[in-house]
Amino acid sequence: METENAVNYKFMGRSFTDLSINDDSSAFSDCNSDRSGEFSTASSQSRRLFLACTNSDNSDEFIRQLVSDLGSCSIDEQKNAALELRLLAKNKPENRIKIAKAGAIKPLISLITSTDPNLQENGVTAILNLSLCDENKELIASSGAIKPLVRALRTGTSTANENAACALLRLSQVEENKVAIGWSGAIPLLVNLLENGGIRGKKDASTALYSLCTVKENKIKAVEAGIMKLLVELMADFGSNMVDKSAFVLSVLVSVPEAKTALVDEGGIPVLVEIIEVGSQRQKEIAAAILLQICEDSVVYRTKVAREGAIPPLVALSQSGTNRAKQKAEKLIELLRQPRSANAAASPSDL
């Protein structure tokens, strides 16, 4: 399995220089918990849920009873148990280990394949909340969660789609799971969520794709699923709130030739040049890094970038950008100013 680090930035342990993803304006969704809002419940049930979420003396026996209820013949009992476990795992981090040790993971996974939308959604979101605990990730994957989560991406409610994407992101933090998630059919479905989801769905999909596409096989799957056209369109729309996210995903894809070719074919070069001209400092930096990647071994692409008028905004960036942006801009300017005769031999990218 071939993996690569992203280009000099940091997300989920990889270095992005000084860029932060821990605030509301960050590039990626943190996918850190159940974010589905309030639940409508009967009054007696609400009291039980409140106690489950707030009482510090929740017993292992109570959790074991909920796990037992997951196997009930009554769908209503299953729904109530899944909902309560979902909330317990959301609100009390220490309960995530307790619930897993009580044997909840396999029955919750079985709920993800349910044809009842509410039951499926609660199963997906309970698994997401349990996956926030690092100790649970390998157990969740080895218990067979990946394929049902991918099915939820295809058939679930919008909340199930989003939370399935987040759960797959969490499982992808175990390196061995990335190829398995790719082979399960997740990549085209995440690309679809990126295209057709709401703003949270787009954000969750981009976060998951960024993590999964550090693996070469998944990069190629994403390109084959048509992601490059979509990323170019999102980057071109400054009102979409997706410029940064799309650019970061693009930055991990363009290390493969298929992605570079698709980027150019879909009109990505003028969009990236425009970002360097009018984007934020972060957007300018990542756009320069992407252009540098595609130009390093291709005279043809250097010519295309230069003809789009990239040199003047790059000169401005080399004078006023961040230290990292200045370095990228200077390297790119140097490449673009090299005469073609100095690069007589065409690279594979040019053929």
Side-chain angles (χ1 to χ4, degrees):
M1 181 174 66
E2 182 177 339
T3 63
E4 298 175 5
N5 288 340
V7 187
N8 298 316
Y9 290 88
K10 186 168 185 179
F11 172 62
M12 295 170 56
R14 296 199 296 282
S15 178
F16 286 172
T17 76
D18 58 349
L19 303 184
S20 170
I21 64 156
N22 296 319
D23 55 71
D24 291 340
S25 63
S26 63
F28 287 105
S29 164
D30 55 9
C31 279
N32 65 355
S33 189
D34 172 3
R35 297 160 290 164
S36 305
E38 300 299 325
F39 304 95
S40 58
T41 55
S43 58
S44 61
Q45 196 176 333
S46 296
R47 180 175 179 275
R48 191 179 183 205
L49 289 170
F50 176 78
L51 291 172
C53 293
T54 61
N55 188 345
S56 61
D57 296 323
N58 284 313
S59 67
D60 292 344
E61 182 180 351
F62 177 67
I63 290 174
R64 283 196 295 270
Q65 181 58 52
L66 291 176
V67 174
S68 176
D69 289 347
L70 291 175
S72 170
C73 294
S74 165
I75 290 183
D76 286 340
E77 285 190 11
Q78 288 181 314
K79 286 181 181 179
N80 292 340
L83 177 56
E84 294 187 31
L85 288 168
R86 165 183 178 169
L87 292 177
L88 278 166
K90 171 186 177 180
N91 289 285
K92 293 193 136 221
E94 62 269 25
N95 284 338
R96 294 168 190 155
I97 294 177
K98 286 184 179 182
I99 292 169
K101 287 184 176 178
I105 288 175
K106 285 190 175 181
L108 284 170
I109 291 171
S110 71
L111 299 186
I112 299 175
T113 63
S114 172
T115 56
D116 184 289
N118 184 260
L119 197 55
Q120 182 189 56
E121 183 180 309
N122 283 331
V124 167
T125 311
I127 288 294
L128 164 61
N129 291 344
L130 291 175
S131 73
L132 304 181
C133 173
D134 288 341
E135 294 180 34
N136 290 339
K137 290 188 178 88
E138 291 189 21
L139 179 59
I140 291 170
S142 65
S143 296
I146 291 174
K147 287 184 178 180
L149 286 169
V150 172
R151 177 177 174 177
L153 266 178
R154 181 182 294 109
T155 65
T157 64
S158 60
T159 297
N161 292 163
E162 293 161 356
N163 289 346
C166 283
L168 290 169
L169 164 67
R170 291 296 165 186
L171 297 184
S172 75
Q173 292 172 330
V174 178
E175 195 70 21
E176 294 74 19
N177 291 336
K178 292 184 179 183
V179 170
I181 293 170
W183 279 108
S184 71
I187 302 297
L189 295 172
L190 288 168
V191 172
N192 181 67
L193 182 60
L194 180 63
E195 180 175 13
N196 297 309
I199 187 60
R200 191 197 136 189
K202 290 178 185 294
K203 197 172 184 182
D204 292 344
S206 66
T207 312
L209 286 163
Y210 180 87
S211 176
L212 289 166
C213 288
T214 60
V215 175
K216 183 178 180 180
E217 297 96 310
N218 291 342
K219 296 178 201 280
I220 295 171
K221 286 181 172 65
V223 173
E224 291 174 345
I227 195 173
M228 303 306 287
K229 181 176 187 293
L230 175 58
L231 292 176
V232 169
E233 290 173 350
L234 289 171
M235 288 191 304
D237 183 0
F238 283 87
S240 69
N241 195 34
M242 290 294 296
V243 176
D244 300 55
K245 305 167 191 65
S246 302
F248 279 117
V249 176
L250 184 57
S251 73
V252 299
L253 292 172
V254 293
S255 63
V256 296
E258 296 89 341
K260 293 177 182 176
T261 300
L263 172 63
V264 175
D265 290 346
E266 297 296 345
I269 288 176
V271 171
L272 289 165
V273 172
E274 183 182 12
I275 290 172
I276 295 173
E277 290 176 336
V278 301
S280 68
Q281 285 298 317
R282 176 164 68 180
Q283 291 165 0
K284 291 178 180 182
E285 182 174 344
I286 190 65
I290 293 168
L291 286 175
L292 181 60
Q293 280 187 275
I294 70 171
C295 287
E296 280 179 326
D297 58 358
S298 173
V299 176
V300 171
Y301 293 164
R302 291 175 207 168
T303 302
K304 289 178 181 291
V305 171
R307 286 176 177 170
E308 284 297 330
I311 291 179
L314 283 169
V315 169
L317 184 60
S318 72
Q319 295 169 349
S320 62
T322 64
N323 288 337
R324 192 65 60 115
K326 289 177 181 179
Q327 293 172 8
K328 298 292 183 187
E330 288 168 359
K331 289 180 181 178
L332 188 50
I333 291 166
E334 183 180 353
L335 280 176
L336 297 180
R337 285 177 169 169
Q338 288 180 3
R340 284 187 62 95
S341 57
N343 301 280
S347 70
S349 301
D350 297 332
L351 300 178

